[in-house]
């Protein structure tokens, strides 16, 4: 018989979920490639996504407005760079994607931006963006 562990969340669900993910993934204040080469910000905010299993990687819907909501501006050069990463991922070239936007390395001085990165963000600044993600996933579920 399978065992079910039930955890009770007291207080703000989004904050509890954020703290849970942060202990497993860590907060990164810049855009980096995750293990699959997907450009990511903070804790799990992917800039490129697939809208279905067989769909290609594309810029996240509302990416520009989401980033603007935390004070970041996606310039045309950033958009072009992300499209190059999407092209690499769509042909299975994770190595090239990671060359375009390097992964975050534990122990790396995250106060130094990579060649693509937008300005560094704080966890407080990132929280509204995370809340948007949680709301989106909640609607899907």
């Amino acid at each position: 018989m399978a065992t079910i562990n039930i955890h009770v969340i007291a207080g703000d669900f989004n904050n509890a979920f954020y703290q849970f993910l942060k202990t497993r993934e860590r907060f990164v204040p810049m855009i980096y490639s995750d293990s699959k080469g997907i450009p990511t910000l903070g804790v799990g905010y992917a800039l490129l996504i697939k809208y279905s299993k067989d769909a290609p990687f594309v810029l996240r819907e509302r990416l520009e407005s989401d980033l603007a909501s935390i004070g970041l501006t996606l310039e045309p050069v950033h958009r072009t760079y992300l499209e190059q990463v999407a092209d690499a991922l769509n042909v299975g070239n994770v190595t090239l994607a990671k060359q375009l936007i390097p992964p975050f390395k534990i122990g790396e001085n995250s106060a130094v931006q990579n060649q693509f990165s937008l300005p560094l963000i704080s966890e407080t600044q990132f929280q509204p963006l995370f809340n948007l993600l949680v709301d989106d996933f909640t609607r899907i579920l």
Side-chain angles (χ1 to χ4, degrees), residues 107-125:
E108 175 180 349
N109 178 1
S110 61
V112 178
Q113 296 171 269
N114 63 38
Q115 61 186 356
F116 167 80
S117 195
L118 296 165
L120 299 175
I121 62 168
S122 68
E123 284 190 70
T124 302
Q125 185 181 7

Side-chain angles (χ1 to χ4, degrees), residues 2 7 21-22 24 38 48 50-51 53 57-58 72 83 93 111-112 121 125 132:
H7 298 276
L21 286 178
K22 190 174 94 168
R24 281 143 184 85
I38 300 168
L48 299 175
K50 290 179 155 194
Y51 283 99
K53 182 182 175 194
F57 280 98
V58 294
L72 298 178
E83 288 168 352
N93 195 339
V112 178
I121 62 168
Q125 185 181 7
L132 289 173

Side-chain angles (χ1 to χ4, degrees), residues 66-128:
D66 283 358
L67 293 177
S69 76
I70 64 166
L72 298 178
T73 302
L74 191 67
E75 302 291 343
V77 66
H78 297 127
R79 189 177 186 82
T80 299
Y81 215 71
L82 287 170
E83 288 168 352
Q84 290 173 353
V85 174
D87 290 344
L89 291 173
N90 288 330
V91 296
N93 195 339
V94 174
T95 301
L96 176 58
K98 289 181 178 183
Q99 288 171 350
L100 292 166
I101 299 178
F104 176 77
K105 296 176 182 77
I106 295 175
E108 175 180 349
N109 178 1
S110 61
V112 178
Q113 296 171 269
N114 63 38
Q115 61 186 356
F116 167 80
S117 195
L118 296 165
L120 299 175
I121 62 168
S122 68
E123 284 190 70
T124 302
Q125 185 181 7
F126 176 71
Q127 194 66 48

Side-chain angles (χ1 to χ4, degrees), residues 7-22 127 130-139 141:
H7 298 276
V8 176
I9 297 174
D12 180 13
F13 173 79
N14 286 10
N15 186 49
F17 188 46
Y18 176 77
Q19 295 304 323
F20 171 80
L21 286 178
K22 190 174 94 168
Q127 194 66 48
F130 181 80
N131 290 341
L132 289 173
L133 286 179
V134 173
D135 293 346
D136 285 349
F137 287 126
T138 302
R139 277 192 294 279
L141 290 174

